[in-house]
Amino acid sequence: MTIWDWLSTALLLIGAFFFFAGTLGLLRFPDVYNRLHALTKADNVGLGLTVLGLAIQSGSWVIALKLLLIWLLVLVTSATAAHLIANAALYDHVQRWRRS
Amino acid sequence: MKLGRTRLFASDRTVRSFVRQGLWRAIALALLWWILLEGDRKGWWYGLPVIAAATATSLWLAPEAGQFWHPVGLVRFISFFLWQSLRGGIDVALRAIDPRLPLHPQLIEYRLRVPVGPAQIVLMNTISLLPGTLSVALHPMLLQVHVLDGRMDVQRSLQQVEAVVAELFEIAIEQ
């Protein structure tokens, strides 16, 4: 294995950890608002690192650009989706959890 | 006669800016097509009509000229965004795996300084990807933000994000 393979493997593993943490937050966090934080932020970092690791594996500039494009599209959609869900929850008066 | 000529001139300029807009969008879409096909040359036979149709649709749906982002502002925005979103991911990941579940959520209000329009939309979506903040509701000059930890100085970090976005759109905001 070359240094690039090691780097790529490390990025993919760290990316997987962020997906794991995001899912854990989705399950553990107490209400819809907090859960959205976990989903958007952790998964975006997870996908970013995964894309970076795969771009190294691909060894091609145009495929690396395509992967980058996928990441950007997911960033935009997940930020928009998180806002729409939080917005709908607020207008539906979904109770916010408070630390007592 | 004189009136007719002035009118013709005005529409001539509109046509020119419309064509320029179309040209830029076609170039952007051609680049997108090239990336999607991973540089395969055979795809251009059906790619060109698709690009033409997409350009026409884009001009039909959004005929007004778009604004180019300021290059220095764009570089600053990208570096700020990458670093802060990495911090945001680490922050929420640590909270999720911490057995004590350290959350102190709050819904706060933030007075916007950038005007209604694309700058507010970009700001709103950027805030949702940064550490501990989630845009919940956008009012004309006010943003409701859900924060994971109300003890952090959120107002200050939101002002920082807003300054970076304002620079991207070349908007002057009072400090």
Side-chain angles (χ1 to χ4, degrees):
Chain A
M1 269 172 79
T2 68
I3 179 120
W4 291 109
D5 289 329
W6 284 107
L7 186 65
S8 163
T9 311
L11 286 167
L12 290 172
L13 286 174
I14 301 170
F17 164 77
F18 275 100
F19 275 114
F20 170 75
T23 310
L24 202 61
L26 178 69
L27 296 170
R28 289 191 70 209
F29 284 0
D31 67 4
V32 60
Y33 307 100
N34 288 294
R35 286 176 176 160
L36 284 170
H37 281 271
L39 264 194
T40 47
K41 294 183 237 300
D43 283 15
N44 285 337
V45 174
L47 186 63
L49 295 172
T50 307
V51 154
L52 212 58
L54 290 176
I56 293 172
Q57 291 279 324
S58 77
S60 142
W61 280 105
V62 68
I63 292 175
L65 273 174
K66 193 177 182 177
L67 289 163
L68 183 71
L69 199 68
I70 292 168
W71 186 53
L72 288 176
L73 284 174
V74 172
L75 281 185
V76 174
T77 48
S78 72
T80 308
H83 167 71
L84 290 176
I85 294 170
N87 197 257
L90 186 75
Y91 284 107
D92 270 358
H93 305 290
V94 174
Q95 277 289 303
R96 283 184 295 116
W97 174 85
R98 269 165 239 252
R99 185 169 285 283
S100 42
Chain B
M1 193 64 208
K2 211 174 173 185
L3 195 81
R5 277 186 67 173
T6 358
R7 227 194 266 147
L8 190 71
F9 182 64
S11 79
D12 212 35
R13 259 177 60 180
T14 327
V15 167
R16 225 177 287 161
S17 105
F18 197 70
V19 168
R20 200 182 307 131
Q21 266 301 306
L23 218 59
W24 278 116
R25 292 184 195 188
I27 290 170
L29 287 164
L31 186 68
L32 192 65
W33 183 261
W34 178 72
I35 293 171
L36 283 179
L37 264 75
E38 297 169 7
D40 183 5
R41 271 191 226 131
K42 276 171 267 172
W44 289 105
W45 285 109
Y46 51 98
L48 287 174
V50 170
I51 291 162
T55 308
T57 314
S58 137
L59 287 171
W60 177 46
L61 291 174
E64 66 280 358
Q67 186 202 351
F68 280 105
W69 285 327
H70 192 269
V72 177
L74 187 62
V75 170
R76 200 160 298 170
F77 176 80
I78 291 172
S79 54
F80 177 85
F81 177 81
L82 286 178
W83 174 238
Q84 293 293 322
S85 64
L86 182 64
R87 273 192 54 206
I90 293 172
D91 170 71
V92 84
L94 291 179
R95 287 178 202 273
I97 56 175
D98 191 321
R100 291 165 300 166
L101 208 63
L103 299 173
H104 300 86
Q106 236 178 4
L107 192 65
I108 63 150
E109 291 183 346
Y110 180 69
R111 291 217 159 272
L112 292 164
R113 291 169 293 170
V114 294
V116 175
Q120 276 193 2
I121 305 295
V122 169
L123 175 64
M124 184 185 86
N125 285 313
T126 310
I127 284 172
S128 291
L129 299 173
L130 299 187
T133 50
L134 176 71
S135 299
V136 177
L138 178 66
H139 310 284
M141 284 314 265
L142 188 85
L143 186 66
Q144 281 179 286
V145 181
H146 185 269
V147 293
L148 276 183
D149 195 336
R151 298 167 307 176
M152 298 188 307
D153 190 2
V154 180
Q155 293 288 342
R156 234 195 90 228
S157 50
L158 289 179
Q159 280 167 9
Q160 251 179 337
V161 190
E162 192 174 27
V164 174
V165 172
E167 197 181 358
L168 181 66
F169 283 90
E170 297 178 75
I171 294 166
I173 53 172
E174 76 236 50
Q175 290 305 311

PDB file of all heavy atoms in Angstrom, chain B residues 19-37:
ATOM      1  N   VAL B  19     -28.250  37.788 -24.247  1.00  0.00           N
ATOM      2  CA  VAL B  19     -27.389  36.837 -24.955  1.00  0.00           C
ATOM      3  C   VAL B  19     -26.149  36.527 -24.116  1.00  0.00           C
ATOM      4  O   VAL B  19     -25.718  35.376 -23.993  1.00  0.00           O
ATOM      5  CB  VAL B  19     -26.987  37.399 -26.339  1.00  0.00           C
ATOM      6  CG1 VAL B  19     -25.872  36.557 -26.957  1.00  0.00           C
ATOM      7  CG2 VAL B  19     -28.192  37.435 -27.261  1.00  0.00           C
ATOM      8  N   ARG B  20     -25.603  37.581 -23.461  1.00  0.00           N
ATOM      9  CA  ARG B  20     -24.413  37.373 -22.632  1.00  0.00           C
ATOM     10  C   ARG B  20     -24.735  36.435 -21.468  1.00  0.00           C
ATOM     11  O   ARG B  20     -23.969  35.512 -21.168  1.00  0.00           O
ATOM     12  CB  ARG B  20     -23.899  38.723 -22.107  1.00  0.00           C
ATOM     13  CG  ARG B  20     -22.444  38.627 -21.679  1.00  0.00           C
ATOM     14  CD  ARG B  20     -21.919  39.935 -21.108  1.00  0.00           C
ATOM     15  NE  ARG B  20     -22.142  41.064 -22.000  1.00  0.00           N
ATOM     16  CZ  ARG B  20     -22.678  42.231 -21.614  1.00  0.00           C
ATOM     17  NH1 ARG B  20     -23.060  42.404 -20.361  1.00  0.00           N
ATOM     18  NH2 ARG B  20     -22.822  43.218 -22.469  1.00  0.00           N
ATOM     19  N   GLN B  21     -25.892  36.663 -20.834  1.00  0.00           N
ATOM     20  CA  GLN B  21     -26.348  35.787 -19.754  1.00  0.00           C
ATOM     21  C   GLN B  21     -26.442  34.342 -20.234  1.00  0.00           C
ATOM     22  O   GLN B  21     -25.951  33.421 -19.584  1.00  0.00           O
ATOM     23  CB  GLN B  21     -27.738  36.229 -19.286  1.00  0.00           C
ATOM     24  CG  GLN B  21     -27.718  37.177 -18.113  1.00  0.00           C
ATOM     25  CD  GLN B  21     -27.038  36.556 -16.923  1.00  0.00           C
ATOM     26  OE1 GLN B  21     -27.400  35.467 -16.482  1.00  0.00           O
ATOM     27  NE2 GLN B  21     -26.035  37.225 -16.399  1.00  0.00           N
ATOM     28  N   GLY B  22     -27.078  34.170 -21.392  1.00  0.00           N
ATOM     29  CA  GLY B  22     -27.269  32.834 -21.948  1.00  0.00           C
ATOM     30  C   GLY B  22     -25.947  32.136 -22.212  1.00  0.00           C
ATOM     31  O   GLY B  22     -25.778  30.952 -21.935  1.00  0.00           O
ATOM     32  N   LEU B  23     -24.984  32.914 -22.702  1.00  0.00           N
ATOM     33  CA  LEU B  23     -23.672  32.358 -23.023  1.00  0.00           C
ATOM     34  C   LEU B  23     -22.972  31.841 -21.764  1.00  0.00           C
ATOM     35  O   LEU B  23     -22.443  30.726 -21.743  1.00  0.00           O
ATOM     36  CB  LEU B  23     -22.832  33.450 -23.686  1.00  0.00           C
ATOM     37  CG  LEU B  23     -21.917  33.004 -24.821  1.00  0.00           C
ATOM     38  CD1 LEU B  23     -22.730  32.367 -25.936  1.00  0.00           C
ATOM     39  CD2 LEU B  23     -21.129  34.193 -25.357  1.00  0.00           C
ATOM     40  N   TRP B  24     -23.004  32.652 -20.691  1.00  0.00           N
ATOM     41  CA  TRP B  24     -22.375  32.232 -19.432  1.00  0.00           C
ATOM     42  C   TRP B  24     -23.035  30.972 -18.881  1.00  0.00           C
ATOM     43  O   TRP B  24     -22.355  30.048 -18.421  1.00  0.00           O
ATOM     44  CB  TRP B  24     -22.458  33.343 -18.382  1.00  0.00           C
ATOM     45  CG  TRP B  24     -21.386  34.369 -18.536  1.00  0.00           C
ATOM     46  CD1 TRP B  24     -21.554  35.687 -18.836  1.00  0.00           C
ATOM     47  CD2 TRP B  24     -19.964  34.171 -18.401  1.00  0.00           C
ATOM     48  NE1 TRP B  24     -20.340  36.316 -18.895  1.00  0.00           N
ATOM     49  CE2 TRP B  24     -19.354  35.421 -18.636  1.00  0.00           C
ATOM     50  CE3 TRP B  24     -19.167  33.058 -18.106  1.00  0.00           C
ATOM     51  CZ2 TRP B  24     -17.973  35.594 -18.592  1.00  0.00           C
ATOM     52  CZ3 TRP B  24     -17.790  33.237 -18.058  1.00  0.00           C
ATOM     53  CH2 TRP B  24     -17.219  34.486 -18.301  1.00  0.00           C
ATOM     54  N   ARG B  25     -24.354  30.959 -18.942  1.00  0.00           N
ATOM     55  CA  ARG B  25     -25.064  29.792 -18.394  1.00  0.00           C
ATOM     56  C   ARG B  25     -24.769  28.549 -19.230  1.00  0.00           C
ATOM     57  O   ARG B  25     -24.604  27.459 -18.686  1.00  0.00           O
ATOM     58  CB  ARG B  25     -26.570  30.064 -18.367  1.00  0.00           C
ATOM     59  CG  ARG B  25     -26.899  31.151 -17.357  1.00  0.00           C
ATOM     60  CD  ARG B  25     -28.365  31.383 -17.227  1.00  0.00           C
ATOM     61  NE  ARG B  25     -28.623  32.646 -16.548  1.00  0.00           N
ATOM     62  CZ  ARG B  25     -29.806  33.052 -16.146  1.00  0.00           C
ATOM     63  NH1 ARG B  25     -30.866  32.297 -16.363  1.00  0.00           N
ATOM     64  NH2 ARG B  25     -29.953  34.205 -15.532  1.00  0.00           N
ATOM     65  N   ALA B  26     -24.682  28.705 -20.574  1.00  0.00           N
ATOM     66  CA  ALA B  26     -24.381  27.565 -21.434  1.00  0.00           C
ATOM     67  C   ALA B  26     -22.986  27.017 -21.128  1.00  0.00           C
ATOM     68  O   ALA B  26     -22.775  25.800 -21.080  1.00  0.00           O
ATOM     69  CB  ALA B  26     -24.493  27.974 -22.903  1.00  0.00           C
ATOM     70  N   ILE B  27     -22.032  27.928 -20.873  1.00  0.00           N
ATOM     71  CA  ILE B  27     -20.666  27.487 -20.540  1.00  0.00           C
ATOM     72  C   ILE B  27     -20.683  26.693 -19.233  1.00  0.00           C
ATOM     73  O   ILE B  27     -20.084  25.616 -19.120  1.00  0.00           O
ATOM     74  CB  ILE B  27     -19.723  28.698 -20.441  1.00  0.00           C
ATOM     75  CG1 ILE B  27     -19.491  29.307 -21.836  1.00  0.00           C
ATOM     76  CG2 ILE B  27     -18.387  28.305 -19.815  1.00  0.00           C
ATOM     77  CD1 ILE B  27     -18.770  30.642 -21.824  1.00  0.00           C
ATOM     78  N   ALA B  28     -21.410  27.220 -18.237  1.00  0.00           N
ATOM     79  CA  ALA B  28     -21.486  26.531 -16.944  1.00  0.00           C
ATOM     80  C   ALA B  28     -22.130  25.157 -17.103  1.00  0.00           C
ATOM     81  O   ALA B  28     -21.658  24.159 -16.532  1.00  0.00           O
ATOM     82  CB  ALA B  28     -22.269  27.388 -15.951  1.00  0.00           C
ATOM     83  N   LEU B  29     -23.195  25.086 -17.906  1.00  0.00           N
ATOM     84  CA  LEU B  29     -23.889  23.811 -18.090  1.00  0.00           C
ATOM     85  C   LEU B  29     -23.035  22.822 -18.887  1.00  0.00           C
ATOM     86  O   LEU B  29     -23.072  21.611 -18.629  1.00  0.00           O
ATOM     87  CB  LEU B  29     -25.230  24.044 -18.792  1.00  0.00           C
ATOM     88  CG  LEU B  29     -26.300  24.697 -17.913  1.00  0.00           C
ATOM     89  CD1 LEU B  29     -27.441  25.240 -18.754  1.00  0.00           C
ATOM     90  CD2 LEU B  29     -26.835  23.701 -16.898  1.00  0.00           C
ATOM     91  N   ALA B  30     -22.248  23.345 -19.840  1.00  0.00           N
ATOM     92  CA  ALA B  30     -21.357  22.470 -20.611  1.00  0.00           C
ATOM     93  C   ALA B  30     -20.294  21.858 -19.696  1.00  0.00           C
ATOM     94  O   ALA B  30     -19.974  20.670 -19.791  1.00  0.00           O
ATOM     95  CB  ALA B  30     -20.702  23.260 -21.740  1.00  0.00           C
ATOM     96  N   LEU B  31     -19.794  22.670 -18.766  1.00  0.00           N
ATOM     97  CA  LEU B  31     -18.815  22.180 -17.790  1.00  0.00           C
ATOM     98  C   LEU B  31     -19.445  21.080 -16.928  1.00  0.00           C
ATOM     99  O   LEU B  31     -18.827  20.031 -16.664  1.00  0.00           O
ATOM    100  CB  LEU B  31     -18.338  23.353 -16.914  1.00  0.00           C
ATOM    101  CG  LEU B  31     -17.221  23.049 -15.935  1.00  0.00           C
ATOM    102  CD1 LEU B  31     -15.929  22.768 -16.672  1.00  0.00           C
ATOM    103  CD2 LEU B  31     -17.032  24.193 -14.954  1.00  0.00           C
ATOM    104  N   LEU B  32     -20.684  21.331 -16.517  1.00  0.00           N
ATOM    105  CA  LEU B  32     -21.416  20.352 -15.716  1.00  0.00           C
ATOM    106  C   LEU B  32     -21.580  19.037 -16.477  1.00  0.00           C
ATOM    107  O   LEU B  32     -21.381  17.948 -15.937  1.00  0.00           O
ATOM    108  CB  LEU B  32     -22.798  20.939 -15.372  1.00  0.00           C
ATOM    109  CG  LEU B  32     -23.614  20.223 -14.325  1.00  0.00           C
ATOM    110  CD1 LEU B  32     -22.919  20.295 -12.987  1.00  0.00           C
ATOM    111  CD2 LEU B  32     -25.002  20.845 -14.231  1.00  0.00           C
ATOM    112  N   TRP B  33     -21.922  19.159 -17.759  1.00  0.00           N
ATOM    113  CA  TRP B  33     -22.096  17.966 -18.609  1.00  0.00           C
ATOM    114  C   TRP B  33     -20.791  17.194 -18.731  1.00  0.00           C
ATOM    115  O   TRP B  33     -20.759  15.965 -18.636  1.00  0.00           O
ATOM    116  CB  TRP B  33     -22.601  18.401 -19.997  1.00  0.00           C
ATOM    117  CG  TRP B  33     -22.887  17.258 -20.912  1.00  0.00           C
ATOM    118  CD1 TRP B  33     -22.084  16.779 -21.896  1.00  0.00           C
ATOM    119  CD2 TRP B  33     -24.048  16.436 -20.906  1.00  0.00           C
ATOM    120  NE1 TRP B  33     -22.665  15.714 -22.512  1.00  0.00           N
ATOM    121  CE2 TRP B  33     -23.877  15.471 -21.928  1.00  0.00           C
ATOM    122  CE3 TRP B  33     -25.218  16.409 -20.143  1.00  0.00           C
ATOM    123  CZ2 TRP B  33     -24.836  14.502 -22.197  1.00  0.00           C
ATOM    124  CZ3 TRP B  33     -26.165  15.443 -20.414  1.00  0.00           C
ATOM    125  CH2 TRP B  33     -25.974  14.505 -21.427  1.00  0.00           C
ATOM    126  N   TRP B  34     -19.709  17.940 -18.917  1.00  0.00           N
ATOM    127  CA  TRP B  34     -18.389  17.316 -19.041  1.00  0.00           C
ATOM    128  C   TRP B  34     -18.054  16.532 -17.765  1.00  0.00           C
ATOM    129  O   TRP B  34     -17.549  15.409 -17.819  1.00  0.00           O
ATOM    130  CB  TRP B  34     -17.344  18.417 -19.305  1.00  0.00           C
ATOM    131  CG  TRP B  34     -15.946  17.908 -19.393  1.00  0.00           C
ATOM    132  CD1 TRP B  34     -15.390  17.174 -20.402  1.00  0.00           C
ATOM    133  CD2 TRP B  34     -14.914  18.086 -18.416  1.00  0.00           C
ATOM    134  NE1 TRP B  34     -14.087  16.891 -20.122  1.00  0.00           N
ATOM    135  CE2 TRP B  34     -13.761  17.438 -18.919  1.00  0.00           C
ATOM    136  CE3 TRP B  34     -14.848  18.739 -17.172  1.00  0.00           C
ATOM    137  CZ2 TRP B  34     -12.554  17.424 -18.214  1.00  0.00           C
ATOM    138  CZ3 TRP B  34     -13.648  18.714 -16.481  1.00  0.00           C
ATOM    139  CH2 TRP B  34     -12.529  18.060 -17.003  1.00  0.00           C
ATOM    140  N   ILE B  35     -18.376  17.119 -16.616  1.00  0.00           N
ATOM    141  CA  ILE B  35     -18.100  16.438 -15.349  1.00  0.00           C
ATOM    142  C   ILE B  35     -18.984  15.202 -15.209  1.00  0.00           C
ATOM    143  O   ILE B  35     -18.519  14.121 -14.836  1.00  0.00           O
ATOM    144  CB  ILE B  35     -18.321  17.397 -14.157  1.00  0.00           C
ATOM    145  CG1 ILE B  35     -17.271  18.517 -14.175  1.00  0.00           C
ATOM    146  CG2 ILE B  35     -18.251  16.647 -12.836  1.00  0.00           C
ATOM    147  CD1 ILE B  35     -17.543  19.609 -13.163  1.00  0.00           C
ATOM    148  N   LEU B  36     -20.269  15.340 -15.541  1.00  0.00           N
ATOM    149  CA  LEU B  36     -21.203  14.214 -15.396  1.00  0.00           C
ATOM    150  C   LEU B  36     -20.779  13.031 -16.254  1.00  0.00           C
ATOM    151  O   LEU B  36     -20.926  11.881 -15.867  1.00  0.00           O
ATOM    152  CB  LEU B  36     -22.616  14.650 -15.783  1.00  0.00           C
ATOM    153  CG  LEU B  36     -23.369  15.487 -14.751  1.00  0.00           C
ATOM    154  CD1 LEU B  36     -24.744  15.856 -15.276  1.00  0.00           C
ATOM    155  CD2 LEU B  36     -23.512  14.724 -13.441  1.00  0.00           C
ATOM    156  N   LEU B  37     -20.255  13.303 -17.461  1.00  0.00           N
ATOM    157  CA  LEU B  37     -19.841  12.223 -18.359  1.00  0.00           C
ATOM    158  C   LEU B  37     -18.399  11.793 -18.127  1.00  0.00           C
ATOM    159  O   LEU B  37     -17.872  10.963 -18.869  1.00  0.00           O
ATOM    160  CB  LEU B  37     -20.045  12.636 -19.824  1.00  0.00           C
ATOM    161  CG  LEU B  37     -21.365  12.124 -20.368  1.00  0.00           C
ATOM    162  CD1 LEU B  37     -22.515  12.955 -19.824  1.00  0.00           C
ATOM    163  CD2 LEU B  37     -21.364  12.112 -21.864  1.00  0.00           C
TER     164      LEU B  37
END
